[in-house]
Amino acid sequence: MPTEQLNYWFPLLTDNSPFLFAVLDPSHNYLVVNNRYCEVSGLERDELVGRNDVDVLGQAFYQSMRPYYQRAFNGETIESEVVLDDNRHDTSMHFSLAPLRNQAGDVSHIVLHCADTSERQVLVNSLHEIEHQLQHLNQMITDGSCVVEGNTIISANKKAAELLGFDSAGELKGEELGRLLFDSHSKQLLGNQINKLSNGEARSCHTHSRSKEAQPLLISASDITLLNSPAKLVLLQAQPEPAQAKLDQGKFEQLAHTDPLTGLYNRHGFSRQLEQLIANETPLVMLYLDIDNFKNINDSLGHHIGDRVLQEISQRLERLLPNNAVLGHLSGDEFAVLLPNPEHARTGELTSQQIISLINQPFDLHHFSKHLACSIGMVSYPGDGNDARILLQNADTAMYEAKNRGRNRLVKFSEEMNKEARMQLWLEIELQKALQNNGLEVWYQPKVNARDFAIDGAEALVRWKHPVEGYISPGQFIPVAERSGLIEQLGQVVMREVFTTVRKWKEHGLLTGKVAINLSPQQFGNPNLIAFVDKLRKSTGVNPNDITFELTESAVMSDGEHTIQMLNAIKKLGFSLSIDDFGTGYSSLSYLARFPLDELKIDRAFIKDIETVPKQVTLIENIINLGKSLNMSVVAEGVETRQQATLLSNLNCNSIQGFHFYKPAPKNELEAILHKHARH
């Protein structure tokens, strides 16, 4: 296909795909790419032509793919997967390569289709880990056990093979269990009767003639789900006495409802206990616990240490709680407690305080002690739900509210939380749509020079106009974006729009001064920020001297070494740096000398009382003098009156921002204002 046709058809066919598509030349450089490459790299399509994987996906990816590229240029069609492990990241990529031949039949180019399968790999690893644990548990029990789908044995332990006359458990796989057993009463093969066994029902059988001699067995089954399909876990017990059979069935039920790590009820077993209490109309209090920042232990010390901590937590809770309490380990770092027939209205609250104190006591972890904390959500029955699912959901909601309020505390569920949770979920879903459909706008609030009040730069502010609800306050959707992980994508949208707009305004001589862009702590904490900004700078052609990045005090104070590296990298690219809301965060002056900052923004909280609180004037004057002594410009924000502006001007503030001069406005409205000022 001629290059012109390829450049026309390729984007039409591939641009809406979330996967990477590219055509590579014999030097492994891009001839044409789809839009996903542009999103990953921050470069325009034309800029990517002639580049290669090293520029976009990294050296490790290219070195892994290079042998496959050579094979594809030799005429092979390849589908495979590579795992990239550079000791920091563990990423897997599934790809296919196909040769493109010219009229002479020679391979002139190859087509690459690539998808990030890291999440799938994590899931596969987790499933393998769970499968290993189940296999280990299966081998520990003294009775035979099989997992049966339909009538076919999917897996079995060694004891089951022995009882059924097979040399190994592997030989049992694929066999039909119903053809290996006779019903003791009808003397007929069981066949599909195994699938009709209800939970807790036991049936007497005899083994098939494959065994050395027909052996009496008692079989029982429990319903399970296998890859979203119904299956049975079948227990085989040799020659049980009637009383012993009942006892063994109880052991079987216990295995199905117990967490093997802690010995507590698992989520299924805990839910069953909750359902029984509700069926008996037993008043109860439920506490839903989450160990705060537990992931840090697994990440830094390993899962084996994390497992030890979970076991100790369960032991501490068992020692603390009354005999009638029901305790469950629901998942990972989440536990739950049922307190039936509470003695008084504050039983749940008092028990929660005891639990928090218990978890706060140090844990001995691999040569040092660690203090942990926990967040607890509480619900009551009756009152906060009429079935187990709703009660667990509401308790979970209250627990997350405890985290939002600062962690290591108890929060009781209220219906308002459900409304808030539904609102937060709605906002997250709608914000995702807005990001996908270019539904966000960038507005600009001009700053003015404090000497003559002429426009001198602006601050970029993101706005969201929902198609039904209208404009939604940034105070509502920015926290949602931060919690849901959408803030980085949102920030990239803003940066791309601002860089493009600023370059245009500067080329036409419309705007003097710099335009400020806010960076969230999540954006600033991501090492990939520097590469993205650099690529965006090159692709848009913006002059970095025209852009200032604004950070909050909390963002720059979180990690000293990382902060200095990031700030220096941003400065090295030519951008300016500003501290927003100065004086309301950590208020530590030491970082002003250590960090390469260019600007201080005095928070509006200082400005609003400037006319009525004399000491406020002194404070502002000192901030201005401090900034100037460190060669930093000073901006006062939130200025709403002429008196405030005049006073700040007299105090030699550099710039002023506020409603007294200009409110935030859409790009086209500010552009009209700039044109008007330019004509004057």
mmCIF file of all heavy atoms in Angstrom, residues 62-86:
data_model
loop_
_atom_site.group_PDB
_atom_site.id
_atom_site.type_symbol
_atom_site.label_atom_id
_atom_site.label_comp_id
_atom_site.label_asym_id
_atom_site.label_seq_id
_atom_site.Cartn_x
_atom_site.Cartn_y
_atom_site.Cartn_z
ATOM 1 N N TYR A 62 12.294 -1.832 24.017
ATOM 2 C CA TYR A 62 12.888 -2.045 22.691
ATOM 3 C C TYR A 62 13.826 -3.244 22.691
ATOM 4 O O TYR A 62 13.795 -4.069 21.765
ATOM 5 C CB TYR A 62 13.632 -0.792 22.241
ATOM 6 C CG TYR A 62 14.337 -0.992 20.910
ATOM 7 C CD1 TYR A 62 13.599 -1.168 19.736
ATOM 8 C CD2 TYR A 62 15.724 -1.041 20.839
ATOM 9 C CE1 TYR A 62 14.233 -1.375 18.528
ATOM 10 C CE2 TYR A 62 16.365 -1.253 19.629
ATOM 11 C CZ TYR A 62 15.625 -1.425 18.471
ATOM 12 O OH TYR A 62 16.246 -1.645 17.278
ATOM 13 N N GLN A 63 14.668 -3.375 23.726
ATOM 14 C CA GLN A 63 15.595 -4.500 23.759
ATOM 15 C C GLN A 63 14.859 -5.828 23.825
ATOM 16 O O GLN A 63 15.331 -6.839 23.278
ATOM 17 C CB GLN A 63 16.543 -4.348 24.966
ATOM 18 C CG GLN A 63 17.540 -3.202 24.838
ATOM 19 C CD GLN A 63 18.419 -3.315 23.600
ATOM 20 O OE1 GLN A 63 18.764 -4.414 23.165
ATOM 21 N NE2 GLN A 63 18.766 -2.174 23.013
ATOM 22 N N SER A 64 13.693 -5.844 24.499
ATOM 23 C CA SER A 64 12.894 -7.072 24.560
ATOM 24 C C SER A 64 12.262 -7.395 23.210
ATOM 25 O O SER A 64 12.118 -8.562 22.834
ATOM 26 C CB SER A 64 11.805 -6.939 25.627
ATOM 27 O OG SER A 64 12.362 -6.745 26.901
ATOM 28 N N MET A 65 11.867 -6.346 22.479
ATOM 29 C CA MET A 65 11.140 -6.548 21.217
ATOM 30 C C MET A 65 12.061 -6.730 20.013
ATOM 31 O O MET A 65 11.647 -7.278 18.991
ATOM 32 C CB MET A 65 10.220 -5.354 20.970
ATOM 33 C CG MET A 65 9.079 -5.212 21.951
ATOM 34 S SD MET A 65 7.938 -6.603 21.882
ATOM 35 C CE MET A 65 7.304 -6.434 20.216
ATOM 36 N N ARG A 66 13.287 -6.254 20.122
ATOM 37 C CA ARG A 66 14.177 -6.233 18.955
ATOM 38 C C ARG A 66 14.326 -7.594 18.265
ATOM 39 O O ARG A 66 14.228 -7.678 17.026
ATOM 40 C CB ARG A 66 15.552 -5.704 19.395
ATOM 41 C CG ARG A 66 16.523 -5.520 18.249
ATOM 42 C CD ARG A 66 17.819 -4.921 18.765
ATOM 43 N NE ARG A 66 18.789 -4.769 17.708
ATOM 44 C CZ ARG A 66 20.013 -4.307 17.876
ATOM 45 N NH1 ARG A 66 20.407 -3.925 19.080
ATOM 46 N NH2 ARG A 66 20.844 -4.211 16.863
ATOM 47 N N PRO A 67 14.536 -8.699 18.999
ATOM 48 C CA PRO A 67 14.649 -10.004 18.307
ATOM 49 C C PRO A 67 13.375 -10.373 17.546
ATOM 50 O O PRO A 67 13.450 -10.977 16.467
ATOM 51 C CB PRO A 67 14.919 -10.984 19.449
ATOM 52 C CG PRO A 67 15.395 -10.148 20.592
ATOM 53 C CD PRO A 67 14.730 -8.836 20.441
ATOM 54 N N TYR A 68 12.221 -10.015 18.103
ATOM 55 C CA TYR A 68 10.962 -10.330 17.424
ATOM 56 C C TYR A 68 10.807 -9.492 16.152
ATOM 57 O O TYR A 68 10.291 -9.969 15.139
ATOM 58 C CB TYR A 68 9.786 -10.086 18.366
ATOM 59 C CG TYR A 68 9.766 -10.991 19.575
ATOM 60 C CD1 TYR A 68 10.179 -10.527 20.822
ATOM 61 C CD2 TYR A 68 9.341 -12.324 19.477
ATOM 62 C CE1 TYR A 68 10.174 -11.355 21.935
ATOM 63 C CE2 TYR A 68 9.319 -13.161 20.584
ATOM 64 C CZ TYR A 68 9.746 -12.668 21.809
ATOM 65 O OH TYR A 68 9.727 -13.487 22.910
ATOM 66 N N TYR A 69 11.246 -8.227 16.208
ATOM 67 C CA TYR A 69 11.202 -7.399 14.995
ATOM 68 C C TYR A 69 12.029 -8.045 13.882
ATOM 69 O O TYR A 69 11.595 -8.104 12.717
ATOM 70 C CB TYR A 69 11.755 -5.997 15.296
ATOM 71 C CG TYR A 69 10.892 -5.136 16.192
ATOM 72 C CD1 TYR A 69 11.434 -4.053 16.887
ATOM 73 C CD2 TYR A 69 9.533 -5.391 16.347
ATOM 74 C CE1 TYR A 69 10.659 -3.249 17.716
ATOM 75 C CE2 TYR A 69 8.746 -4.598 17.176
ATOM 76 C CZ TYR A 69 9.317 -3.530 17.855
ATOM 77 O OH TYR A 69 8.539 -2.745 18.659
ATOM 78 N N GLN A 70 13.227 -8.533 14.229
ATOM 79 C CA GLN A 70 14.088 -9.146 13.219
ATOM 80 C C GLN A 70 13.415 -10.372 12.606
ATOM 81 O O GLN A 70 13.465 -10.581 11.386
ATOM 82 C CB GLN A 70 15.435 -9.550 13.858
ATOM 83 C CG GLN A 70 16.239 -8.386 14.436
ATOM 84 C CD GLN A 70 16.771 -7.447 13.367
ATOM 85 O OE1 GLN A 70 16.567 -7.672 12.191
ATOM 86 N NE2 GLN A 70 17.420 -6.366 13.790
ATOM 87 N N ARG A 71 12.758 -11.161 13.463
ATOM 88 C CA ARG A 71 12.069 -12.353 12.944
ATOM 89 C C ARG A 71 10.927 -11.966 12.025
ATOM 90 O O ARG A 71 10.704 -12.601 10.987
ATOM 91 C CB ARG A 71 11.549 -13.191 14.116
ATOM 92 C CG ARG A 71 12.633 -13.932 14.884
ATOM 93 C CD ARG A 71 12.114 -14.516 16.183
ATOM 94 N NE ARG A 71 10.939 -15.348 15.980
ATOM 95 C CZ ARG A 71 10.208 -15.857 16.972
ATOM 96 N NH1 ARG A 71 10.562 -15.603 18.240
ATOM 97 N NH2 ARG A 71 9.149 -16.600 16.715
ATOM 98 N N ALA A 72 10.191 -10.888 12.389
ATOM 99 C CA ALA A 72 9.086 -10.446 11.537
ATOM 100 C C ALA A 72 9.599 -9.953 10.193
ATOM 101 O O ALA A 72 8.972 -10.196 9.143
ATOM 102 C CB ALA A 72 8.290 -9.348 12.241
ATOM 103 N N PHE A 73 10.747 -9.248 10.183
ATOM 104 C CA PHE A 73 11.325 -8.810 8.905
ATOM 105 C C PHE A 73 11.859 -9.991 8.096
ATOM 106 O O PHE A 73 12.069 -9.869 6.887
ATOM 107 C CB PHE A 73 12.424 -7.777 9.153
ATOM 108 C CG PHE A 73 11.904 -6.368 9.238
ATOM 109 C CD1 PHE A 73 11.818 -5.718 10.451
ATOM 110 C CD2 PHE A 73 11.472 -5.701 8.088
ATOM 111 C CE1 PHE A 73 11.312 -4.427 10.539
ATOM 112 C CE2 PHE A 73 10.972 -4.414 8.169
ATOM 113 C CZ PHE A 73 10.888 -3.769 9.384
ATOM 114 N N ASN A 74 12.057 -11.125 8.765
ATOM 115 C CA ASN A 74 12.422 -12.353 8.039
ATOM 116 C C ASN A 74 11.204 -13.101 7.520
ATOM 117 O O ASN A 74 11.334 -14.195 6.971
ATOM 118 C CB ASN A 74 13.248 -13.267 8.939
ATOM 119 C CG ASN A 74 14.633 -12.709 9.212
ATOM 120 O OD1 ASN A 74 15.178 -11.958 8.401
ATOM 121 N ND2 ASN A 74 15.209 -13.056 10.360
ATOM 122 N N GLY A 75 10.005 -12.527 7.744
ATOM 123 C CA GLY A 75 8.800 -13.108 7.160
ATOM 124 C C GLY A 75 7.881 -13.813 8.121
ATOM 125 O O GLY A 75 6.819 -14.294 7.733
ATOM 126 N N GLU A 76 8.244 -13.892 9.413
ATOM 127 C CA GLU A 76 7.392 -14.578 10.379
ATOM 128 C C GLU A 76 6.217 -13.703 10.826
ATOM 129 O O GLU A 76 6.354 -12.480 10.930
ATOM 130 C CB GLU A 76 8.195 -14.950 11.627
ATOM 131 C CG GLU A 76 9.145 -16.096 11.459
ATOM 132 C CD GLU A 76 9.747 -16.508 12.800
ATOM 133 O OE1 GLU A 76 8.952 -16.817 13.722
ATOM 134 O OE2 GLU A 76 10.978 -16.494 12.931
ATOM 135 N N THR A 77 5.080 -14.346 11.083
ATOM 136 C CA THR A 77 3.969 -13.702 11.788
ATOM 137 C C THR A 77 4.015 -14.191 13.231
ATOM 138 O O THR A 77 4.009 -15.402 13.481
ATOM 139 C CB THR A 77 2.623 -14.059 11.146
ATOM 140 O OG1 THR A 77 2.614 -13.569 9.801
ATOM 141 C CG2 THR A 77 1.468 -13.423 11.921
ATOM 142 N N ILE A 78 4.075 -13.251 14.175
ATOM 143 C CA ILE A 78 4.383 -13.601 15.569
ATOM 144 C C ILE A 78 3.291 -13.081 16.488
ATOM 145 O O ILE A 78 2.796 -11.960 16.311
ATOM 146 C CB ILE A 78 5.738 -12.987 15.992
ATOM 147 C CG1 ILE A 78 6.856 -13.462 15.059
ATOM 148 C CG2 ILE A 78 6.070 -13.318 17.440
ATOM 149 C CD1 ILE A 78 8.135 -12.677 15.219
ATOM 150 N N GLU A 79 2.932 -13.892 17.454
ATOM 151 C CA GLU A 79 2.095 -13.446 18.567
ATOM 152 C C GLU A 79 2.726 -13.971 19.841
ATOM 153 O O GLU A 79 2.957 -15.168 19.981
ATOM 154 C CB GLU A 79 0.660 -13.942 18.442
ATOM 155 C CG GLU A 79 -0.234 -13.447 19.574
ATOM 156 C CD GLU A 79 -1.703 -13.808 19.385
ATOM 157 O OE1 GLU A 79 -2.023 -14.409 18.353
ATOM 158 O OE2 GLU A 79 -2.497 -13.494 20.280
ATOM 159 N N SER A 80 3.034 -13.059 20.768
ATOM 160 C CA SER A 80 3.745 -13.489 21.968
ATOM 161 C C SER A 80 3.532 -12.464 23.082
ATOM 162 O O SER A 80 2.735 -11.538 22.947
ATOM 163 C CB SER A 80 5.241 -13.654 21.668
ATOM 164 O OG SER A 80 5.907 -14.236 22.788
ATOM 165 N N GLU A 81 4.269 -12.647 24.180
ATOM 166 C CA GLU A 81 4.173 -11.752 25.325
ATOM 167 C C GLU A 81 5.562 -11.580 25.910
ATOM 168 O O GLU A 81 6.350 -12.524 25.968
ATOM 169 C CB GLU A 81 3.212 -12.314 26.380
ATOM 170 C CG GLU A 81 2.874 -11.335 27.481
ATOM 171 C CD GLU A 81 1.590 -11.703 28.211
ATOM 172 O OE1 GLU A 81 0.968 -12.716 27.846
ATOM 173 O OE2 GLU A 81 1.204 -10.963 29.135
ATOM 174 N N VAL A 82 5.884 -10.345 26.318
ATOM 175 C CA VAL A 82 7.161 -10.083 26.966
ATOM 176 C C VAL A 82 6.895 -9.503 28.341
ATOM 177 O O VAL A 82 5.905 -8.806 28.552
ATOM 178 C CB VAL A 82 8.040 -9.110 26.149
ATOM 179 C CG1 VAL A 82 8.450 -9.729 24.841
ATOM 180 C CG2 VAL A 82 7.337 -7.780 25.935
ATOM 181 N N VAL A 83 7.780 -9.820 29.277
ATOM 182 C CA VAL A 83 7.711 -9.258 30.623
ATOM 183 C C VAL A 83 8.922 -8.363 30.807
ATOM 184 O O VAL A 83 10.060 -8.790 30.586
ATOM 185 C CB VAL A 83 7.692 -10.364 31.702
ATOM 186 C CG1 VAL A 83 7.716 -9.751 33.099
ATOM 187 C CG2 VAL A 83 6.455 -11.235 31.527
ATOM 188 N N LEU A 84 8.670 -7.114 31.158
ATOM 189 C CA LEU A 84 9.742 -6.143 31.362
ATOM 190 C C LEU A 84 9.977 -6.006 32.854
ATOM 191 O O LEU A 84 9.091 -5.601 33.594
ATOM 192 C CB LEU A 84 9.359 -4.784 30.771
ATOM 193 C CG LEU A 84 8.759 -4.829 29.352
ATOM 194 C CD1 LEU A 84 8.352 -3.436 28.938
ATOM 195 C CD2 LEU A 84 9.756 -5.408 28.376
ATOM 196 N N ASP A 85 11.173 -6.318 33.299
ATOM 197 C CA ASP A 85 11.494 -6.222 34.723
ATOM 198 C C ASP A 85 12.834 -5.524 34.857
ATOM 199 O O ASP A 85 13.885 -6.104 34.596
ATOM 200 C CB ASP A 85 11.551 -7.617 35.357
ATOM 201 C CG ASP A 85 11.753 -7.548 36.866
ATOM 202 O OD1 ASP A 85 11.825 -6.420 37.380
ATOM 203 O OD2 ASP A 85 11.849 -8.611 37.494
ATOM 204 N N ASP A 86 12.777 -4.228 35.239
ATOM 205 C CA ASP A 86 14.009 -3.456 35.414
ATOM 206 C C ASP A 86 14.304 -3.215 36.894
ATOM 207 O O ASP A 86 14.899 -2.214 37.265
ATOM 208 C CB ASP A 86 13.928 -2.124 34.673
ATOM 209 C CG ASP A 86 12.739 -1.283 35.131
ATOM 210 O OD1 ASP A 86 12.035 -1.743 36.054
ATOM 211 O OD2 ASP A 86 12.534 -0.192 34.590
#
